[in-house]
Structures are given as C-alpha cells and as structure tokens.
C-alpha cells in the first residue's frame, strides 16, 4: 500500500531532502507540495536535482487539498509552522520539522523563541521526535515535532550516559561543528560562499543557541533533576554534517559500554570501537549516526564524538523514520541508503 | 533472484561506489571483495561510510573463489586489469572499470597507453560500455569495458549530433571541468586539499589526455570517417562531477532537437529546455545526466553543456547499468537514487 | 609624500581589497570611506580582517569632504557610479571600478546595460584602465575606468596575438572559470555556500555576459576591424581567481613568442615556458598574471590560458596600479605582494 | 642594511611562506635555499606562486655556503632538524620551525617524540619562540625554537589567564579546529581533497597530540605548579587557520580584562570587544591573532576563542618576528600585511 504524502515548505532544503528520500521510499508517494513564494513553479526549476521525479506543481498552502493525504510533513520556518498547523484538518497526521513543537513547556518556548506560542493545545499534544527515545509515543502520535539537528547530535551522545549514570551531569561541554545547510536556503551575508568557505568560527555562543532549550528539557527529563550543559556551535565550510565533540567526566570504558549497549539494537546508530572517532564525511547523505569514545590522558575524562547529517538524520530522515512509525511501516523503510563518499 | 557479485579493487573510490550502489540494489549482493594492499581488512576500516553494510572481508584476488559468482566488477588500476582478467574464469561475466578494454585497436591502445596490450584476444571480445549507444551488444556480452568518465560526458553531448548530422564535425572543442575523485584515491601532491581547494587549472592539455583515444574511436565510428576533437580537461575543487562545455558549429535549435529526440526514451538522460544549462551539483551522487543547449550570439554556433557524476554515471553507476543488462535485470534497477543536494 | 585617498563603496569586496592593498602601500593613506547602508560603522565591524588598520569611520557620500583628497576610488555598483561621479568635484582624480565608464560608445553602453548613460560627457573623458595597454593615457587621465575582471583576463591572453597578427581573429573561443567574489557581497541564492561549493556550472552563456561589450570594443580597436569572440563564463567553487582558457587558431610557438615578447618588460605579467599552464592558486591575492601556451595535437591550434585574481589584478590591484600612474608614483608601488599559497 | 637569509627545507609550506613574507620584508634577502629531494630545481617550479621573485636555486644542505649568512631558518621535518642544526656553524643565528627544540626537558622530548634527543646541548641552549612571552630571551638568543601552531593558539588564549590568576587551572578544555596546511605538503590519504573537503573529524584525540608537551611545559612554568589541559584538535576543510575554543572557569569579564590588558601593547594581538568572537577568515595570510571572550549562561564559565593563521603567526610569521628581534630589526618589520579576505 502506498501512502499519500504532502510536504509544506518544499522549496527549502529540508523539503527537498524529504522529496529525495521519498523518491526511493517503497510505500510513500508525494501528492502535494507547497512553496509559498514559488507557488506555480515546477520542483525541477526550484531544485534541478529532482528533475527526474514526477512531482506535483508547487501550490500555496491554502490551495491544497488534504483529503486523501495520509501524512503531512511541515518544513516551514519557525513560527509560521504553528499557525499553519493550527489550520490543518484535525485528523491529519503531521510531522513538523520546525522548532515550534519541540518544547513542551509554554514558558520555555516563550523564553527561547521570544514570544508566546500561538497554538499551546497543539504544543501539548506534540510528541518529541527523537525516534530512538520516543518510539512508542511517536507510533501513537498524530503530531510529531522533529528535533533540532544539533539537539539530536548532542542527545545521541549524552542521553544514554545520563540514563546509565556513568557521567557527572553537571560537567558536560558540547563543542559542535555544523555544516551550513542547517541554516537553510536563507539569504544571509554570512552564508555566502565567499564569506564561509575556507574558514570557521563560533556562533550563538555563550548559551544563546535555541537548541539549548531542547537539551535542558530532555536531559532534565532523563536525569530526573535539572541539567544544564555548556554548548558552542561552530560553522564549518561543509554543506552537510554535524560533529558534536562532547567532553564528559566518567570512566571512558564505562561511557563507551553504555553507548554500545544502548544502541546495539538500533538500526541507524553505530558505536565505533573504543578509541575510534567518527567523521561527518562517513555519514553524509544518510540516516546513520556514528559515535566514538576515547579516554583522555587525564583520568576520569572522556570525549564522545557524534557525527550525523543535519539534513537527513538531523531533520528529514528523522522525519521519515517517525512517519514510518506513525503509518505502521517498517521503521527503516526508505532510509537504508548508504552515505555518499567521497 | 539475487545475483552474487564480486568486486576486485574495492579499496578505491569506484569500488566503494559499487558497494554503495549495490547496497540498495534489489537483485545484487556482494559476496567477494578484493583489495590487494588492504587484504584482511574490513571495508568498515577502509571506508567508514560503508560500516552499516554486512560485507565480506577484503581478500587478495588469488584467494578469491569465483564459483557461484554471477558477475565480477573489476575496479583495478589500468594495466593491472588486463593481467587479472586474463586469469579469471572464461565464463565469468565481467564489467571492467579500467581503461584496458576501451580501445578496440591494439595499435591505438599502444599509442595512448605506451605499451602493447597483454590480452589482445580479450580486447577483441570486449564491448564498449556506453550503455545508451551499445545496449544490445552489452546485453549479449561477457566482458564489458566501462568508458572513461570524461569520455562519457563528451560523448553524451556530441554523439547524437554527429549521428543527426547537425554539426560541423571538424570544429568541436570540449572544455571540461572535472572533480578530483576522477583521479582516484592516489597519493599525489596535486590532489592534496591544500593544493587543490580554492583554485582551478588545466591538465593533460594539448591533446595528451588518454580519453581522446575513446573520442577518436567512437566519433570516427559514428561519423564514418576520421573525427578529431580538441579537448582540455580542468581540475576543479569539487569531489564529484564533470561539466563538459562543448562548442559546436550548427543551428542551436537543431542541436537541441537532435539531443532531445535521441534521449527522449532514455531513463537517465535529461535534456533541459533550450537555453537552460546544467550544474554538476544537480546530478551528484546519481546516475543521471543533464544536458543543456544554448545558442551563441554568433549565428551558427551553439554551446552544449553536459553534467554527470564521474563516479556514478561516469563509472560505477554505468557499470551497474551494464551489469543489469548482462544479467537480464531491468536496466534501471538500483540506479534511480536521486542526486544529493546540497 | 603621502597621497590622501578616498574610497566610495568601501563595504563591498573591491572596497575592502583597496583598503588591504593601501594598508601596505608606501605613499597612500585612506582619509575617507563611504558605505551607504553601513554609514556610521567602523570598518572593523564590516570587515574584521581590517581591524588592525587605523581607518576613518564609514560615511554617507554626501557627508564626505573631498578637499585635500588626492584621488578617489569609486567601488560602487554599476549605474550608481555614474550618478555619484557626476556630482564629485571636477578636478578630483578618480578611478572607477564599476562598469559605468568602460564602454566609450553610448550606444554600446545602452545595448549592454539596458539604459542610456546618465553622464555621457564623463564617459567620453574616461580612459579604459587596462594598464599595460593604456599606460600613457592613464598617466594623463583624470577619470579612469577599471576593466571588467573577466575582460582583463581575456584581453591579457588575446590582445598581443591580435596585434602581432598570429591568430585567426574570427575563431576565438574563451571558456572562463571564475571565482565567486566576482559577483560581490550580494545576497543571491546561487552565491550561497550550500548552492555553490562542490560543483560548477556556466552562467551568462551564449553571448549574454556584459564583459563581451569590452571584448568587442577592445579587440575591434586592436584589430582595426570588427572582432567578435565566443565567451562562456563558469562559476567555480573558489573565492578568488579567474582562469581564461582561450582556444585560438595559429602556430602555437608563434602565439607563445608573441605573448612572451609583448610582456617581457611588464612587471606583473609572467609568461610561463611553452607547454606550461597556469593555476589560479599561484596568483591568488596578488597583482600578478600568469599566462601559458600549449599547442594542440591538431596542427595550427593553440590553447592560451590566463590566470589572475579577479579582486586584485582584475579590479582593486589594477585600480591602484592606475592610481600610481595618475599620481606620478612608481607603477608597482604597493603591488609587489606575493600570492598566498596554500 | 639588508640581512642575508638562508632557508633550509624551502620546498615545504612553511619554507614557501618564509619566502613569501621575506619577499616584501624591507631588510632581508634570501641568499640560500635548500630542498633535499628538489635540489637543482628553481623555486618557480616547486612553488609557481613565487615565480616573480628572484631566488637562488634549491641546493642540498651540504652544498650550501653559510659564510655571509646572517640568519638561517630551518623548516625541516621533525628529527631531521636536530641533526642538521648540530652540523651548522656554531655562530650562525638560527630560527628552527620544527618541533625539535621546543621542549627543554630531554625526558619530555623523549616521551612525546619517542626517541632520545640527538643534540641535547642545543636543546638546552634553545629559547622557546612564543615572541610575546619570551621577547627578551629571543633577542639575545642564537637558536630559537618556533612553537607548534596549535600550541601558539592555545597559549595566546590561556597564558595571560594563568598569569592573572583569573581561571581554575585544573579545568581547561581546548577544542581546536585546524586547517590542513598544518600537516604540511605530505602525501597522506587523509589529506587528499576527496577525503577532507566537505567534512570534519577529530584527530590525535585523548591526549595524544604532541603539542600537549608544549602546553604542559609552558602552562606549568606560568603557573608555578603542574598544569594539564584537555585538548582535542579537529581537521577542518580549510587550508589555513586555527580556531582554538577554550573552555575556562572564571568570571568572564575578568577573563576578558586580563587578556585585553596583557595584549594592549602587542602589535599583533587583537582582543575583540567582550562578547564578540573571531573567525579564522579574518586573520588568514597574516601575522595577526584575534581573541574573543564570551560568558556562558552558566555563571563562572567563559569561552575564549583564539584565531590565527597556522602558517603565518603559527609558524613562518612568528619565525620572522623572532628573527627581527635576533637581528636588531623592528619586531614588526615585514609582518604588517593585512589578511586576505575573501
């Protein structure tokens, strides 16, 4: 059986990535695409790499017909998403890729995003979309909130360590290197090739990055008491990929064992042999996550490094993984594509 | 039915690309891998991006058991390939990705490659692997010679124009921009990131590039009389991709029409609307070819631009396309994966 | 004696490059900077790489005091430039880096730029700024029009060949690879890192690129009769650099000899040994031009390749070279900085 | 007065960078160049970007005449350097860019480099070349040991904080992003463009990187008691640049004040306004260091980020700065060149 899929916000990178992945998915077909400013255009003109795929023309959301749609991916900008989703049919299954439904607490949302939530009842309904940790809730959910891509990378490295009690939860530093597609197809000076290629710098440092809201919410839930991490993202001259270097206090072998044990049954999580560290290049274009652990020369300290593709496992791949669960499909359907290297 | 596949030379980029593509192929499974200097190693250690795939350990070729193997891809270096293939079982289907069997004429081989061919009888048997132009012969062949990646790009742009008689065949200039993976995983100073990134330069200019041997052979065959093109490849700071800018004399609309007509039934060849030109970014990681045509301000001159991924359609994807034909599988099996962008 | 310099349009790349070069120039000091949208800001905030240099605050042009200014560089956008320059003091020496005064013929300007020139009397006064070919006129000029960066690269390769009569002037093809800084600090989707890095494509093909207006004007003047070239620029994932691959008909050795002879006395033009071709990497960040010639396997055909840095020799370095002449300074003053590699 | 300079190991990146910088130095001229495997070659053929400079032919070291040489830069590989320097005239001033003389303690050298030092008496004589902290000793020294490039970046961020007593010296984490030229012009698979571009990964993690020997030596000396830091370098797809993100415990404003105060008189050290962080792009190609400080949301924690160019301030620029002192020249002579951007 083929499920009919609508994608809102198909003219952005996560929208295009959804189309790419669905094009080789065995049980999904795209039947509706929205792209506000590009309504009326063919996807082949917006994203030439999708030219070979038969796709509907881009529409305005208000022109779309959701009858017969089995699931809707919402790849709209933050803030826009909550307004749009509030207007969609109440029985439509939705995976939202924006930040709008990630934080359960309306006060936390307002603190991190600077204004009150416009659809607090939907916020209460939404399930946090980190599949490996919310699998059962997601399978039952109508509305799933995709995680932040950085938030996913950090949680994959840290959550099992909190749960296993093998690290000092007050001493966690996340130094993260992010590819530029995470910022979307937005016209900003600092995203120009001439500004970005050949160099690196930190951004949203000092505790300002909004994905900290997710870290706080999720680590606190996992630990059963407040946890605050220190987090610095850096922009790197690469199009895809996140490398989270996480500094923790604990026995390195115990750290490695906790991760290896936790992820042994997971199809997309690969824990490398102790002492081996991952590269973003080895996961680019795929739904896989590579995690490595090494001990420091200072006893009782370990480095956990987590690599994933921000557009795939960090966003659109995760979204399809969640949609698979919501539609009763095999969780890995359409997602076992190998990374692209070199 | 699943076909059993061996890959010789699996520690290079084209070998890894074969493994990547076969990992989502519906009717192939890799049962043998050779990698001379890396014999005894796991592919996960040679190519970490393939870590999630269950694969045989790398062996030396002489240790491999070819009984039960349905088809063997040979991704060995030039010159090595002819010696190895001469020693393989005579009933084994083989797709060779090296340059060893591309030229039918032993004298031409010796002229371009600097020494006599070691297996001239195999050379006579081999079918040239440009699928869209040798489909029937390939389906019947035991030994297929994969084309040069640059040679493929140039031929896709030019062959239909020669066949249709719409251009002056004595006035063809091919200015080609090639990504660095075409040079393989070889330790050369000019392939270092520090040497290559952020700049561009011509190489093997002036008629020295060996893919000219293929152009000469194939264009002469298509035209029925000798054809010599002028060809300059340039190395660009990109990992995958070939962009062939071909300057021809002829009516631009007739040029476009000849290409559009010739490739209309082809699943992998996309001729863009007249006046639209392709980008390598829109085909990276895929088996698709994008071709565009624009007229020049000087009447009677046209520019044909052809974009493909050197590792996929230019090498390993083409090889699988040919193998599909040789094994009686649908030609597109495993090859409809969308390009990766961004 | 130190000359007082004003730079209009200092918040763009060519403006910043002027500041960089002047910071180690022995006889120039920047005394005024304009940047319309960034008026009131420090250059250190607009371009952090200039932080160590003592510079005036950015002003609006109308607030600037030109008394005491010896020479003004105008690095404003096309069309803006002619309006601004028309309002500057009539005795102020000016080097304009825009396209506004490159074409002498008002009809040609209107044809290429789509509207009538607003200051035709200044257009008549302006001297075309290709230093090596207009040295004497430039030394006497009040207003010099910097050349297009692509136009400079093509002319360096071709002009001496036309003058020496060693090529067929009706058979010139220029296939050019350009770095992204040539497009300026402008917010366009196709200039984003995510869109541009890792691939290449043609742009303004088919005779649409405005630098053809300069080619037509200058080659026709050099030849004494109309000359039209075929010209295709390609955007490459590099920040600086132009590589012009020029296909000509003529005896290769004669082509090389004509270039070597013509440029022997030139301090910035390096003709490589016959058969050696240049790389953009070897001139990046400098005012040097590298030119190479190789013969083709087809007799009577040659490839001339010219490499320069679009921001330096193609724009701001050329502007300073011209300003040196206009101010009676040594032509090479401040411009002998070696390229940056790697 | 012009000083005569010899450069040993001129065929590597730091050797070429010395030549580049000296080419615009007012008081130095290169009179001898060695390059063992490239002896007999012109520099123009080894490094085409230096083609415009009149330079001696590359020689073997044993063929070189050191009479009349005022100072010798030794840019040889580690271990080679100590043997060669032991054979040079005892009154020759030397700046060594290798790791051979950085560690004062022979036992520490043996521990980090895996074998006993071959010239321990020279090791005792050598002065550690971090100019801003050893200025007086360097001015008197005959043999100066250039620092590790990563070691320089970390020390610029941390040393003044230890000296000012504003941080907890047992809680220092250095997460560093390094450009690829730091690994030299060496033929290693992981330095190929196809392997490195478009991704990032950690290397020499867990306390294995040899620059830790310098951190230990220098921080312990500054603190007056043993200090061990945690240090993870990452390889980034950029040719030049180091970004050291240093996590410290202390009052952020006090941290910033200590750095600003310490570096106020330094010509090459720029401390950015509190809350502003640097980019490697803004120092590339220059001898400048940009340092920024931001407070974390967790009270009592700060992030210090230091950016420099590994080949210039991290190696060859530093070497010339030291040579200026040793020769009685102004410390900044030849080193005020602005960074190259974009």
């Amino acid at each position: 059986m083929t499920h009919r899929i609508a994608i809102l916000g198909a003219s952005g990178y996560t929208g295009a990535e959804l189309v790419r992945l669905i094009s080789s998915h065995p049980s999904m077909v795209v039947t509706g695409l929205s792209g506000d400013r590009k309504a009326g255009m063919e996807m082949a003109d917006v994203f030439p790499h999708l030219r070979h795929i038969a796709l509907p023309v881009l529409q305005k959301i208000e022109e779309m017909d959701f009858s017969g749609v089995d699931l809707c991916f919402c790849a709209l900008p933050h803030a826009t998403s909550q307004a749009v989703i509030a207007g969609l049919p109440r029985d439509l299954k939705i995976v939202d890729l924006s930040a709008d439904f990630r934080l359960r607490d309306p006060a936390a949302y307002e603190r991190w995003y600077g204004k009150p939530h416009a659809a607090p009842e939907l916020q209460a309904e939404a399930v946090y979309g980190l599949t490996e940790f919310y699998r059962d809730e997601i399978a039952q959910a109508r509305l799933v909130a995709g995680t932040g891509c950085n938030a996913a990378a950090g949680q994959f490295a840290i959550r099992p360590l909190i749960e296993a009690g093998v690290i000092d939860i007050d001493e966690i530093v996340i130094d993260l290197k992010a590819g530029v597609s995470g910022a979307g197809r937005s016209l900003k000076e600092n995203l120009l090739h001439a500004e970005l290629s050949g160099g690196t710098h930190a951004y949203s440092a000092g505790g300002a990055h909004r994905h900290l809201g997710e870290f706080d919410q999720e680590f606190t839930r996992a630990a059963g008491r407040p946890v605050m991490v220190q987090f610095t993202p850096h922009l790197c001259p690469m199009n895809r990929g996140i490398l989270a270097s996480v500094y923790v206090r604990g026995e390195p072998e115990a750290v490695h064992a906790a991760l290896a044990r936790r992820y042994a049954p997971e199809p997309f999580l690969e824990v490398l042999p102790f002492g081996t560290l991952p590269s973003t290049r080895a996961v680019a274009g795929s739904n896989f996550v590579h995690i490595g652990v090494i001990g420091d020369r200072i006893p009782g300290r370990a480095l956990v490094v987590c690599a994933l593709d921000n557009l795939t496992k960090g966003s659109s791949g995760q979204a399809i993984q969640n949609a698979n669960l919501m539609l009763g499909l095999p969780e890995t359907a359409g997602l076992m594509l190998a990374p692209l290297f070199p």
Side-chain angles (χ1 to χ4, degrees), chain A:
Chain A
M1 175 189 166
T2 298
H3 294 278
R4 297 165 60 85
I5 304 294
I7 300 172
L8 310 188
S11 60
Y13 292 146
T14 55
E17 181 77 348
L18 286 165
V19 173
R20 176 179 81 90
L21 293 168
I22 292 174
S23 77
S24 52
H25 192 290
S27 313
M28 292 185 184
V29 63
V30 176
T31 59
L33 292 172
S34 93
D36 227 41
R37 279 169 309 175
K38 303 200 169 163
M41 290 180 69
E42 298 280 352
M43 274 298 265
D45 296 321
V46 180
F47 285 113
H49 71 293
L50 302 174
R51 170 175 290 279
H52 64 287
I53 308 172
L55 288 169
V57 169
L58 287 162
Q59 295 176 282
K60 288 188 178 297
I61 293 170
E62 51 270 31
E63 299 164 354
M64 294 182 76
D65 175 11
F66 290 97
S67 66
V69 170
D70 294 300
L71 188 139
C72 177
F73 291 104
C74 194
L76 297 166
H78 307 321
T80 304
S81 209
Q82 53 194 273
V84 167
I85 291 177
L88 293 179
R90 286 291 150 149
D91 59 346
L92 183 62
K93 288 180 196 293
I94 298 170
V95 178
D96 182 40
L97 285 76
S98 83
D100 279 8
F101 298 101
R102 293 171 187 166
L103 301 185
R104 290 179 204 95
D105 175 4
Y109 177 86
E110 188 167 347
R111 195 162 62 248
W112 285 105
Y113 291 90
K115 55 181 172 185
H117 202 287
E121 76 293 354
L122 288 173
Q123 194 184 14
E125 176 192 353
V127 172
Y128 189 69
L130 197 70
T131 327
E132 286 75 9
F133 294 89
Y134 289 92
R135 187 168 274 128
D136 295 343
E137 294 90 327
I138 290 165
Q140 304 303 323
R142 185 187 77 88
L143 171 59
V144 169
T147 73
C149 52
N150 298 325
Q155 289 182 69
F156 286 131
I158 296 169
R159 264 186 109 118
L161 308 181
I162 296 178
E163 292 170 355
V166 295
I167 58 167
D168 180 344
I169 59 178
D170 295 318
E171 297 286 347
I172 299 172
V173 172
I174 305 175
D175 188 285
L176 186 139
K177 296 87 185 166
V180 64
S181 64
R185 207 178 202 183
S186 42
L187 296 181
K188 294 183 186 156
E189 201 170 78
N190 69 322
L191 301 180
L192 294 174
H193 187 280
E195 306 279 322
L196 191 62
S197 78
T200 188
H201 60 90
Y203 70 98
S204 299
H209 198 288
R210 288 166 166 179
H211 290 182
L212 275 167
E214 294 175 64
F215 284 141
D216 289 356
Q217 168 181 287
E218 296 299 317
F219 292 153
T220 294
R221 167 180 283 220
R225 65 117 163 135
V227 177
M228 286 181 90
V229 300
Q230 195 171 356
F231 167 51
T232 313
H234 299 75
L235 203 52
C236 270
M238 55 192 194
N239 286 336
R240 286 172 177 252
I242 290 176
L243 194 83
S245 305
V246 184
Y247 295 85
V248 295
R249 310 286 169 99
E251 281 313 308
E253 285 84 358
V255 165
H256 184 261
L259 290 162
R261 197 167 47 238
R262 175 62 182 81
Y263 293 136
E266 291 296 341
F268 296 117
L269 274 284
E270 299 268 338
V271 178
L272 311 185
F274 185 75
T276 300
L277 298 180
S279 167
T280 58
R281 288 298 304 278
V283 295
S286 85
N287 209 48
F288 295 98
V289 181
H290 286 188
I291 299 180
V293 178
I294 195 169
D296 195 67
R297 60 174 189 157
I298 304 179
R301 297 199 188 188
L303 175 70
V304 184
V305 184
C306 175
L308 55 77
D309 183 320
N310 55 298
L311 282 183
T312 319
K313 184 59 173 167
S315 191
S316 302
Q318 181 201 72
I320 289 175
Q321 191 178 350
N322 289 334
N324 284 341
L325 289 172
M326 295 162 77
L327 294 169
L329 297 170
E331 186 177 325
T332 60
L335 293 173
M336 294 302 287
L337 301 177
L340 195 69
F341 177 88

